[in-house]
């Protein structure tokens, strides 16, 4: 069994969907195909939801109509036969009627999740109609029947595995399954999602659950690049990454992958391939247990970081101080990304201000608390980085114009992290491209 996931741009135009149908029928291996919503749809649904939440129903109605018009013209080019085009239009009607009904009822978080789920539901159903037109035998597997998250909103892999394999067994005569990325059911049984970009996570969870031979993530670029192509002009694809390297890059901002999507594949040792729908012959990136070469492979940046520094002379020679500090973050379920300590101070970074005020209040009895907002973590990721000749020298030579706020080195053999003011992020990534990769 092979898992193939296609992102928004890969299904965003009717001709792209046609191409996806070719890619998934190129060989005879049984497949589970995970689809995102058409590009732009989830953003549009977020906009509709916000308008409804703000009581701007006329604005929401306008946005719904605009999105519906987009789907009507999409269907025109997707399907040619009259009866199947009618079927596709009926699917569009069903989902837009639902959105129009929502306009009339009072808004809630559960309703918001229902709105956000419409994109993946429509893309998979429309794709299924196209496969029907092409005479390609397949089965639509509803993700809401097997994809679950627990009370902490974390995917529940054992439950997913049992449910998915039960469904696959029920349809053991089928070779091609289509399912929705991103959407799931939460512990209360409501429709929920795996957060933005979550279709990658679905693919990895499905691949782990089905013990797939490979999890292919098809997108609009030929693999993981050494630097952020949205920010830096000259970037190159990386042929091979270890699971750990890929997980660090995803977590620290390489948008090509959902931040936490690597662990399920890693757990069951399923190789992950990043491939380009527009250039299917390109090598892409293979992510597996072994890293391949030694050395720095890529840099990535994560924005919206807050640094918190706690200064206290009581920390001097004291044990138990760090535990007390960490307990505050644990209490507010706020993960710490970077840590640096000196004898009288500890600095940590977090990526959310959801509980910032309470955290600061509880830290204040320990010493002076300073907060620095609008920071970015820049991560330099590779294999046995310390073995790269002069790596620190090259790093700091390159970054001499940048006021680096924090440095974390030695925590793992495959990561050096720097904190810089977000206003310096672009310059930092550009300087590292020249200084570390010679590009
Ligand atoms: P999809 O809709 O297929 O899920 P995404 O937009 O989520 O696609 O991810 C692909 C995009 O990720 C690329 O178009 C690229 O701009 C961006 N990206 C950011 N950092 C990297 C990187 N290091 N390597 C490759 N792509 C990256
Ligand atoms: N459609 C969802 C999003 O745009 C999930 C995904 O594409 O991965 O975030
Ligand atoms: Mg994505």
């Amino acid at each position: 069994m092979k898992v193939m996931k296609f992102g928004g741009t890969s299904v965003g135009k009717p001709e792209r969907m046609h191409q996806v149908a070719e890619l998934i029928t190129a060989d005879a291996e049984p497949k589970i195909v995970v689809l995102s919503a058409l590009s732009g749809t989830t953003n549009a649904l977020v906009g509709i939801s916000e308008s409804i939440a703000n009581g701007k129903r006329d604005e929401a109605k306008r946005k719904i109509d605009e999105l519906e018009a987009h789907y009507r013209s999409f269907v025109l080019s997707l399907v040619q036969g009259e009866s199947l085009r009618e079927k596709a239009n009926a699917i569009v009607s069903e989902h837009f009627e639902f959105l129009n009904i929502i306009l009339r009822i009072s808004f809630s978080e559960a309703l918001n999740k229902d709105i956000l789920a419409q994109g993946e539901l429509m893309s998979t159903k429309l794709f299924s109609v196209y496969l029907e037109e092409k005479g390609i035998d397949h089965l639509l597997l509803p993700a809401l029947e097997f994809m679950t998250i627990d009370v902490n909103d974390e995917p529940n892999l054992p439950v997913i595995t049992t449910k998915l394999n039960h469904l696959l067994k029920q349809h053991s005569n089928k070779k091609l399954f289509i399912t929705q990325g991103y959407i799931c059911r939460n512990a209360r049984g409501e429709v929920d999602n795996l957060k933005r970009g979550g279709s990658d996570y679905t693919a990895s969870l499905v691949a782990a659950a089905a013990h797939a031979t490979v999890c292919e993530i098809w997108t609009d670029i030929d693999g993981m690049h050494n630097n952020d192509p949205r920010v830096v002009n000259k970037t190159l694809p990386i042929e091979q990454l270890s699971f750990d390297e890929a997980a660090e890059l995803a977590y620290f901002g390489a948008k090509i992958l959902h931040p936490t999507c690597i662990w399920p594949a890693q757990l069951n040792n399923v190789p992950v391939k990043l491939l380009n729908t527009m250039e299917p012959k390109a090598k892409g990136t293979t992510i597996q247990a072994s890293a391949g070469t030694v050395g720095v492979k890529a840099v990535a940046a994560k924005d919206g970081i807050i640094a918190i520094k706690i200064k206290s002379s009581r920390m001097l020679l004291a044990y138990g101080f760090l535990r007390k500090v960490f307990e505050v973050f644990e209490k507010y379920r706020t993960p710490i990304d970077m840590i640096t300590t000196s004898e009288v101070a500890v600095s940590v970074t977090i990526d959310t201000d959801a509980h910032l005020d309470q955290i600061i209040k509880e830290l204040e009895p320990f010493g002076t608390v300073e907060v620095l907002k609008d920071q970015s973590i820049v991560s330099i990721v590779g294999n046995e980085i310390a073995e790269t000749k002069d790596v620190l020298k090259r790093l700091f030579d390159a970054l001499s114009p940048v006021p680096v706020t924090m440095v974390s080195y030695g925590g793992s053999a495959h990561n050096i992290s720097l904190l810089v003011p977000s206003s310096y992020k672009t310059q930092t990534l550009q300087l590292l491209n020249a200084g570390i990769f010679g590009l």
Side-chain angles (χ1 to χ4, degrees), residues 36-37 42 120 182 196-199:
S36 292
T42 310
E120 271 71 10
Y182 180 59
R196 296 305 306 272
S199 298

Side-chain angles (χ1 to χ4, degrees), residues 5 7-8 36 196-200 219 255-258:
K5 176 257 168 176
S36 292
R196 296 305 306 272
S199 298
D200 302 331
T219 181
K255 198 221 160 197
I256 187 171
L257 283 175
H258 176 280

Side-chain angles (χ1 to χ4, degrees), residues 44-45 47-49 52 57-71 95-103 115:
L45 293 169
I48 290 166
S49 205
I52 300 177
R57 298 199 177 239
D58 291 346
E59 186 183 275
K61 175 72 181 141
R62 259 199 318 278
K63 289 178 182 173
I64 292 172
D65 290 346
E66 208 176 290
L67 191 62
E68 179 170 353
H70 178 69
Y71 275 80
H95 288 275
F96 282 92
E97 265 164 33
F98 174 78
L99 288 173
N100 279 303
I101 288 170
I102 279 184
L103 266 183
I115 295 173

Side-chain angles (χ1 to χ4, degrees), residues 94-113:
E94 179 202 333
H95 288 275
F96 282 92
E97 265 164 33
F98 174 78
L99 288 173
N100 279 303
I101 288 170
I102 279 184
L103 266 183
R104 283 179 250 132
I105 47 186
S106 61
F107 186 79
S108 67
E109 193 43 38
L111 215 54
N112 174 40
K113 302 284 173 61

Side-chain angles (χ1 to χ4, degrees), residues 287-323:
I287 302 165
Q288 56 192 18
S290 82
T293 51
V294 164
V296 176
K297 297 214 182 133
V299 298
K302 183 174 169 182
D303 297 328
I305 305 293
I306 302 163
I308 303 173
K309 182 188 269 187
I310 307 118
K311 263 203 253 173
S312 168
S313 50
R314 265 175 289 154
M315 189 178 164
L316 206 63
L317 301 178
Y319 50 84
F321 182 84
L322 286 178
R323 179 176 53 76

Side-chain angles (χ1 to χ4, degrees), residues 22-232:
E22 279 177 29
L23 288 169
I24 64 173
T25 47
D27 63 62
E29 192 174 351
K31 291 175 192 82
I32 304 176
V33 174
V34 177
L35 298 189
S36 292
L38 314 192
S39 54
T41 296
T42 310
N43 284 345
L45 293 169
V46 168
I48 290 166
S49 205
E50 278 171 2
S51 299
I52 300 177
N54 294 330
K56 297 181 178 164
R57 298 199 177 239
D58 291 346
E59 186 183 275
K61 175 72 181 141
R62 259 199 318 278
K63 289 178 182 173
I64 292 172
D65 290 346
E66 208 176 290
L67 191 62
E68 179 170 353
H70 178 69
Y71 275 80
R72 296 287 174 204
S73 68
F74 188 91
V75 163
L76 272 184
S77 322
L78 180 71
V79 196
Q80 298 315 315
E82 201 162 315
S83 72
L84 284 173
R85 197 179 273 170
E86 243 171 57
K87 188 172 177 179
N89 269 317
I91 291 165
V92 174
S93 298
E94 179 202 333
H95 288 275
F96 282 92
E97 265 164 33
F98 174 78
L99 288 173
N100 279 303
I101 288 170
I102 279 184
L103 266 183
R104 283 179 250 132
I105 47 186
S106 61
F107 186 79
S108 67
E109 193 43 38
L111 215 54
N112 174 40
K113 302 284 173 61
D114 272 323
I115 295 173
L116 297 183
Q118 302 308 306
E120 271 71 10
L121 290 170
M122 280 197 285
S123 66
T124 46
K125 288 186 195 174
L126 293 176
F127 185 59
S128 172
V129 174
Y130 176 65
L131 292 181
E132 197 178 332
E133 177 158 76
K134 291 277 136 205
I136 299 168
D137 188 39
H138 68 283
L139 186 82
L140 205 53
L141 274 186
L144 297 178
E145 284 183 20
F146 63 88
M147 194 53 71
T148 56
I149 51 175
D150 63 19
V151 283
N152 296 317
D153 291 343
E154 299 293 341
N156 197 329
L157 186 55
V159 174
I160 294 167
T161 303
T162 309
K163 289 188 170 178
L164 177 65
N165 285 304
H166 180 71
L167 283 172
L168 293 177
K169 224 185 210 159
Q170 277 184 330
H171 303 284
S172 53
N173 58 329
K174 294 283 176 192
K175 292 244 179 317
L176 180 60
F177 299 92
I178 314 295
T179 194
Q180 298 85 19
Y182 180 59
I183 62 172
C184 61
R185 278 197 194 277
N186 61 28
R188 295 178 298 281
E190 300 157 343
V191 172
D192 211 316
N193 62 62
L194 300 175
K195 310 219 168 67
R196 296 305 306 272
S199 298
D200 302 331
Y201 209 1
T202 305
S204 174
L205 288 159
V206 165
H211 286 274
T213 50
V214 63
C215 175
E216 294 180 352
I217 310 261
W218 290 80
T219 181
D220 60 358
I221 190 165
D222 55 346
M224 177 76 80
H225 279 218
N226 72 303
N227 206 328
D228 192 330
R230 296 165 302 175
V231 177
V232 174

